[in-house]
Amino acid sequence: MSAHGPEEDAAGSLRPEMEPTLWRKSRPGAKGVDPPGVSPERVVSGIPEGLRREIPLSLPELSELGVVRHFTRLSQLNRGVDTHFYPLGSCTMKYNPKVMDRIPEIPGFRDLHPRIDHEGMQGLLDTLHICEESLGSLLGMDAVTLAPAAGAHGELTGILLARRYFESKGDRARTEILIPDSAHGTNPASASMGGFTVHVLPSGTDGGVDLVQLETALSEKTALVMMTVPSTLGNFEKDLPKMVAMVKATGALLYMDGANFNAFIGVLRPGDLGFDIVHINTHKTLATPHGGGGPGSGPVGVKAHLAPFLPSPRIRKDGARYVLESPETSIGPIRSFFGSTLVLLRALGYLRLLGQEGVRRVALYALLNANYLRVLLSGVLPRAGEGLCAHEFVLSAKDLVAQGLHAQDIAKALLDAGYYAPTISFPLIVPEALMIEPTETESKDTLDRFAEDFKRIVTVAQSRPSVLKESPLRTPIARPDEVTAARDPVLTDPLSHPPSL
Ligand SMILES: Cc1ncc(COP(=O)(O)O)c(C=O)c1O
């Protein structure tokens, strides 16, 4: 048996063909739509002479069916959440109800010009205000800004709020941010962009924050302690209440990276735990897929003492109307208009669809699915972290290195078995990490099947490591030079016509 499942080892025979570009499929004279009674000459005659093209428009020529099949085939060359299990830890690619796509399409939202006067967008302001209040109540925070365009943007916003807060108190000594090494990688980057020095806290042997290290690092220079909850090892910090008390005693602020909101939504509230600032990723939890380069949204919630500094404009209810305000104390605008509005509308729609009990079930199923899979895979590869996990867990393929294999080889074999790969080589504190997040939307059958395939692949890795090196055999491209692909991508087909003028 191979690592890939059924008995086939004729390398290449399973590899789907690359889909040719539209230019290669183009045939002169092929047409998409040919509306009756509308001749090109008639259309052209309606355009003033001086505005007509001198050089014909250079476009591939295809039938409508040819175009539909091209894009459908392209979409199927990938492992996507609509077709495959996608256990990409830290990136939460879960199924999102398609009905949510309808909300941004509602003409009242879709057709609103962003520069219209606020009097003409009362409906949108009302909706965004409800969204702020809903998130504030789920987070246990006094005020929320919807402006940040991504998780990391939310972090930067939170950090700028902390800076302005200490400036307003005349405290300029707080120049440091403490960040555990199990925090998300964007945290130190955002802290540094926000003008702070980053002090990394090494984890203890159980993967949690080491309280002695925290105590030693805390000083009158500490502005903020940034915690990723659950941590990137997929653990809830067991000493969190003690840590909160230690940080508060120094006058520093506490920041929660709550991007993994699906691990605790409706179950615990960062504000109740003592956090001053929290950001979430709506594009991980609330009906917008993460990744793919699409728009994200990283709302930030704060306690009352930080509310005066929130980005402008602020939406304020004034009687029955909404007005926009830019308070003097604000850190100013951080994003055009009101943030990624259409993503926020999906988020609010999803919250309303689920209701209070439904959002709680999101977290409970995320935790249940991850722990179920964790138990199924226990003993297959060593795990980083102990006890129950949160919504994800991290295995290490370090024992396979002696066989010449890496986490990547397991990931490539999983592609052949019909899955998107787990996140690999992250978090950095785990050698040969495989970070697995089943998400709340997967069924027991899918998890059982994945566990069986994962086990089979690890068995093959241990007994016949060279087989894994052949993977993947079922993807159009096997193992590209990833550095060249990222740094020097070839994005044009030499056959394509030069762009027309
Ligand atoms: C825990 C955590 N924090 C922050 C981020 C950064 O979010 P974004 O990619 O939207 O900037 C992510 C991204 O997945 C994350 O998992």
Side-chain angles (χ1 to χ4, degrees):
M1 189 169 63
S2 79
H4 324 105
E7 288 302 322
E8 33 51 26
D9 262 342
S13 64
L14 297 169
R15 199 173 294 299
E17 271 177 45
M18 279 299 276
E19 175 66 8
T21 60
L22 288 178
W23 277 114
R24 284 175 194 258
K25 299 180 119 185
S26 175
R27 295 288 171 269
K31 279 193 185 148
V33 191
D34 206 356
V38 184
S39 70
E41 293 72 29
R42 210 168 123 209
V43 173
V44 171
S45 68
I47 301 173
E49 219 160 291
L51 297 179
R52 290 186 200 160
R53 300 187 62 87
E54 285 166 8
I55 305 168
L57 192 60
S58 173
L59 289 174
E61 294 172 74
L62 286 103
S63 68
E64 178 176 338
L65 186 57
V67 174
V68 169
R69 287 191 176 153
H70 171 76
F71 285 109
T72 306
R73 279 195 204 112
L74 267 187
S75 75
Q76 289 172 349
L77 291 179
N78 205 351
R79 307 279 183 269
V81 87
D82 283 352
T83 46
H84 296 84
F85 178 46
Y86 208 112
L88 187 67
S90 191
C91 288
T92 319
M93 290 299 288
K94 65 174 192 180
Y95 178 76
N96 289 296
K98 298 280 179 281
V99 68
M100 289 305 137
D101 290 340
R102 291 288 175 87
I103 298 176
E105 287 170 6
I106 296 172
F109 294 129
R110 188 194 57 202
D111 300 341
L112 204 57
H113 194 282
R115 294 215 180 271
I116 197 170
D117 181 80
H118 72 275
E119 280 300 332
M121 55 165 78
Q122 289 292 310
L124 177 68
L125 296 181
D126 187 30
T127 312
L128 293 177
H129 189 71
I130 294 169
C131 188
E132 283 182 1
E133 291 197 327
S134 306
L135 292 178
S137 113
L138 281 167
L139 294 169
M141 291 292 176
D142 299 312
V144 169
T145 172
L146 303 174
H153 197 197
E155 292 163 24
L156 181 63
T157 305
I159 286 161
L160 296 178
L161 292 172
R163 196 166 82 183
R164 185 57 63 86
Y165 168 76
F166 287 116
E167 278 170 8
S168 77
K169 288 162 57 110
D171 184 348
R172 290 177 189 274
R174 294 187 186 267
T175 52
E176 252 180 33
I177 295 187
L178 310 188
I179 305 179
D181 61 6
S182 60
H184 193 74
T186 46
N187 291 192
S190 304
S192 175
M193 275 187 78
F196 288 92
T197 308
V198 175
H199 183 113
V200 177
L201 297 171
S203 299
T205 46
D206 63 354
V209 171
D210 183 330
L211 292 189
V212 178
Q213 296 275 359
L214 175 64
E215 174 116 63
T216 316
L218 278 169
S219 75
E220 67 286 350
K221 287 206 277 180
T222 314
L224 202 61
V225 177
M226 283 181 93
M227 306 279 310
T228 300
V229 181
S231 76
T232 52
L233 291 180
N235 290 343
F236 285 107
E237 292 290 339
K238 66 177 180 347
D239 290 321
L240 199 56
K242 274 193 217 153
M243 293 170 54
V244 171
M246 285 163 69
V247 175
K248 295 265 155 171
T250 67
L253 297 174
L254 262 163
Y255 184 104
M256 184 200 278
D257 176 335
N260 293 313
F261 199 21
N262 63 331
F264 59 86
I265 183 169
V267 175
L268 65 83
R269 307 191 323 154
D272 299 341
L273 294 174
F275 284 89
D276 302 284
I277 312 172
V278 58
H279 90 263
I280 57 161
N281 282 22
T282 58
H283 50 291
K284 290 178 79 170
T285 310
L286 301 174
T288 292
H290 189 276
S297 169
V300 174
V302 295
K303 284 292 180 58
H305 49 286
L306 290 148
F309 312 109
L310 285 171
S312 55
R314 299 287 302 146
I315 301 169
R316 188 171 65 79
K317 194 158 193 187
D318 185 17
R321 312 291 297 159
Y322 288 93
V323 290
L324 297 176
E325 285 185 341
S326 297
E328 282 266 300
T329 47
S330 160
I331 59 168
I334 52 137
R335 167 81 158 83
S336 49
F337 309 110
F338 305 108
S340 303
T341 308
L342 301 183
V343 175
L344 293 161
L345 294 176
R346 297 163 69 102
L348 182 60
Y350 193 50
L351 289 176
R352 287 291 168 108
L353 177 80
L354 294 171
Q356 213 165 1
E357 189 43 39
V359 291
R360 191 178 146 77
R361 267 189 286 139
V362 163
L364 297 182
Y365 278 110
L367 302 176
L368 179 66
N369 276 1
N371 279 288
Y372 181 69
L373 194 54
R374 172 183 66 76
V375 171
L376 289 182
L377 294 181
S378 72
V380 178
L381 288 177
R383 177 179 162 219
E386 296 166 359
L388 287 171
C389 64
H391 64 304
E392 62 192 358
F393 58 94
V394 181
L395 302 180
S396 168
K398 64 178 190 291
D399 296 345
L400 298 176
V401 173
Q403 322 257 42
L405 294 176
H406 297 276
Q408 177 178 237
D409 298 303
I410 304 281
K412 297 285 186 195
L414 281 167
L415 296 180
D416 274 343
Y419 305 101
Y420 194 87
T423 296
I424 58 163
S425 311
F426 181 80
L428 300 178
I429 51 175
V430 179
E432 301 296 336
L434 284 151
M435 189 185 209
I436 301 174
E437 175 175 4
T439 81
E440 62 273 20
T441 53
E442 294 297 338
S443 69
K444 178 175 175 299
D445 281 353
T446 303
L447 303 186
D448 288 339
R449 218 174 325 116
F450 177 75
E452 282 312 309
D453 284 327
F454 194 97
K455 282 186 214 164
R456 185 167 42 76
I457 287 166
V458 172
T459 307
V460 174
Q462 286 156 344
S463 55
R464 290 188 292 149
S466 60
V467 172
L468 248 67
K469 284 284 175 202
E470 289 167 23
S471 300
L473 296 171
R474 296 181 177 202
T475 56
I477 297 175
R479 296 200 182 211
D481 172 343
E482 286 167 11
V483 176
T484 307
R487 298 271 159 83
D488 196 12
V490 179
L491 300 175
T492 48
D493 182 345
L495 252 202
S496 68
H497 295 201
S500 48
L501 299 170

